[in-house]
Amino acid sequence: MTKAELVGVIAKSAGVTKDKAAKALEAYEVAVAKELKKSGKLILVGFGTFSVVKRKARIGRNPQTGKAIKIPAKKVVKFKAGKDLANKVK
């Protein structure tokens, strides 16, 4: 599903215009990013948990040449589905 398709589904189920649904989705994305940057964790009961984890620097390989390359450390966002969401997917 693309972002545009998601906006369409949200608009239809909420009974609002696609423009309003797109603004709501954008506000959600901004709020999640802001909270993850601030505290590193966001828990949405029943839906899931977003968290920021640190990946260590490591040595990788260029698949074309086989040459070793250094991959720097970085922070990545991790998501763990909540019980309700997991049960809906089963």
Side-chain angles (χ1 to χ4, degrees):
M1 175 180 275
T2 65
K3 189 172 183 178
E5 291 169 335
L6 178 59
V7 166
V9 170
I10 292 170
K12 186 175 181 179
S13 65
V16 296
T17 65
K18 285 185 179 182
D19 186 48
K20 287 183 180 181
K23 287 179 182 178
L25 182 58
E26 179 67 27
Y28 169 76
E29 291 172 355
V30 169
V32 168
K34 191 180 288 187
E35 184 60 29
L36 288 175
K37 190 170 185 175
K38 184 175 94 177
S39 68
K41 196 168 195 177
L42 174 66
I43 301 169
L44 299 172
V45 177
F47 182 72
T49 302
F50 293 93
S51 59
V52 176
V53 294
K54 293 180 184 177
R55 283 198 183 156
K56 294 180 180 179
R58 62 191 193 278
I59 301 297
R61 297 242 174 243
N62 180 330
Q64 290 182 333
T65 64
K67 187 176 179 181
I69 57 172
K70 184 178 179 182
I71 301 170
K74 66 178 182 176
K75 293 179 182 179
V76 295
V77 177
K78 182 176 148 183
F79 177 76
K80 182 178 180 199
K83 188 176 180 180
D84 292 346
L85 179 61
N87 288 336
K88 288 178 183 177
V89 174
K90 283 186 181 181

